[in-house]
Amino acid sequence: MTRAATALGLAQPALSAQLRRIERALGGALFERGRHGVRTTALGELVLERTRVVLPAVSELQREAARFARTRRVGQRLRLGGTHGPLLGALVDRLADAAPGTTVTTCASWSERELAELLAEGRLDFALTGTCGSAPPPDPPHLVWEEIAVDPVFVMLADGHPLAAEREVDLAALADEEWACVPGDGCFADCFTAACARAGFSPRRMYETDTASCVHLVQVGRAVGLCRATFPPTAGLAIRPLAGTPLMWRHLLGRHPAGQRQDTADTVLTQAREAHAGAAARSDSYAQWLAGRRPGAADDVRRPVPPPPPAASITRGQGVG
């Protein structure tokens, strides 16, 4: 005991007192003391065996905690969530330049409700999602939602589709088509069904699958699909506006009001808007649609512009992209 106390830098009485407290906590003697020294009991052997696993883990935890504390002092952490689509990746890319000292992690989900729950529980700092028309975002009483942009919803056709050569496509002309969409629990399915009803038909078979599979089904002519106007050019696809713009999509950034500081929220919102503007500038179909609505708009969307002023806070299957 004296040699052990010396190795630990303790007085021998202090080590003996510590050992007695440990034995009381574990419910039995760990060592048998005799004239020839100290031997471990059966309980002591068990404790030593477990300790050889536990102590290195505790030491590693201490080192990781110290590293984390140092990281928190030199930079902050942002936890971003989002539904499918390229905007989440574009936002991460922009934040890497705008806030190089920030550690960014991401969480993707098909469920808007799940993202809202993660925000409300403090497990995410920001979430990218959206609604169509005037539908409210999830859980508006407890979360703050800011509008990033509003896009028309376009249709994806195979290059060889009879309507692919048209400048825009009437939704009613797609009444006999089968459709491909990605999963979701937001408002989009209901909005799409309502738009089809206004056009005089009900959608036929709907293939609900991941984005890559949706694109493949369209490319091979098995289905047509809906997408946002900023969907990137893709081989084998013709992206066309829907005549009369029967569906619009609002990109939203959500957060908890007690979460990140307002200046951080402003930075993330600005970068999200600029990420969307960059995607719009790369989309020929979006530029053509804008030009049809407002002469010169096709040129405007390709020029870098300052982000719009912050919008006022606003209190299911989905399209692709």
Side-chain angles (χ1 to χ4, degrees):
M1 291 293 291
T2 301
R3 287 197 300 272
T6 300
L8 293 171
L10 298 173
Q12 191 273 335
L15 178 58
S16 296
Q18 272 194 20
L19 181 56
R20 287 194 296 272
R21 288 195 296 271
I22 293 172
E23 289 177 328
R24 284 197 300 271
L26 296 177
L30 303 181
F31 298 96
E32 294 176 345
R33 298 163 180 80
R35 288 187 303 168
H36 302 292
V38 174
R39 298 174 182 269
T40 53
T41 63
L43 176 60
E45 290 290 347
L46 173 66
V47 172
L48 285 174
E49 180 182 350
R50 295 289 195 273
T51 301
R52 293 187 180 100
V53 176
V54 171
L55 284 182
V58 172
S59 298
E60 180 61 22
L61 172 60
Q62 291 173 325
R63 288 191 292 270
E64 288 186 7
R67 284 196 298 270
F68 180 81
R70 289 194 297 272
T71 301
R72 293 286 287 181
R73 283 194 293 269
V74 300
Q76 66 179 139
R77 181 176 60 136
L78 290 179
R79 300 163 298 174
L80 307 181
T83 50
H84 64 91
L87 191 55
L88 179 59
L91 176 57
V92 171
D93 180 45
R94 293 199 64 86
L95 287 173
D97 293 330
T102 300
T103 300
V104 179
T105 58
T106 59
C107 169
S109 173
W110 297 111
S111 171
E112 296 175 7
R113 294 193 187 102
E114 180 185 17
L115 292 173
E117 289 172 1
L118 293 174
L119 283 175
E121 294 169 2
R123 296 163 61 189
L124 284 179
D125 297 308
F126 299 94
L128 291 166
T129 182
T131 63
C132 49
S134 58
D139 201 16
H142 304 103
L143 300 174
V144 175
W145 295 92
E146 302 281 358
E147 188 175 282
I148 297 169
V150 181
D151 287 339
V153 176
F154 285 2
V155 64
M156 297 190 304
L157 306 168
D159 275 344
H161 193 283
L163 297 175
E166 300 293 329
R167 179 165 183 166
E168 61 180 18
V169 176
D170 196 311
L171 183 59
L174 303 171
D176 295 329
E177 299 286 351
E178 296 181 351
W179 296 83
C181 72
V182 297
D185 57 8
C187 64
F188 193 85
D190 293 337
C191 295
F192 171 58
T193 302
C196 292
R198 291 192 296 270
F201 71 97
S202 295
R204 295 179 61 196
R205 178 182 299 171
M206 182 73 73
Y207 298 105
E208 189 176 89
T209 183
D210 61 274
T211 301
S213 296
C214 288
V215 169
H216 175 75
L217 289 171
V218 175
Q219 287 171 324
V220 300
R222 183 65 62 185
V224 299
L226 298 173
C227 65
R228 297 166 202 168
T230 54
F231 193 82
T234 304
L237 293 184
I239 310 296
R240 296 291 179 264
L242 289 168
T245 318
L247 287 167
M248 297 292 288
W249 182 258
R250 281 192 303 161
H251 297 274
L252 301 175
L253 179 72
R255 62 184 175 88
H256 194 286
Q260 293 284 344
R261 291 169 24 182
Q262 186 61 48
D263 58 345
T264 301
D266 291 342
T267 296
V268 174
L269 179 61
T270 297
Q271 297 308 316
R273 285 174 171 159
E274 292 187 355
H276 173 272
R282 292 188 294 271
S283 172
D284 290 336
S285 55
Y286 200 1
Q288 292 167 5
W289 176 81
L290 284 173
R293 290 169 60 91
R294 180 164 55 87
D299 296 326
D300 292 344
V301 77
R302 298 189 183 284
R303 287 199 294 266
V305 294
S313 298
I314 59 175
T315 40
R316 205 172 40 189
Q318 307 187 80
V320 179

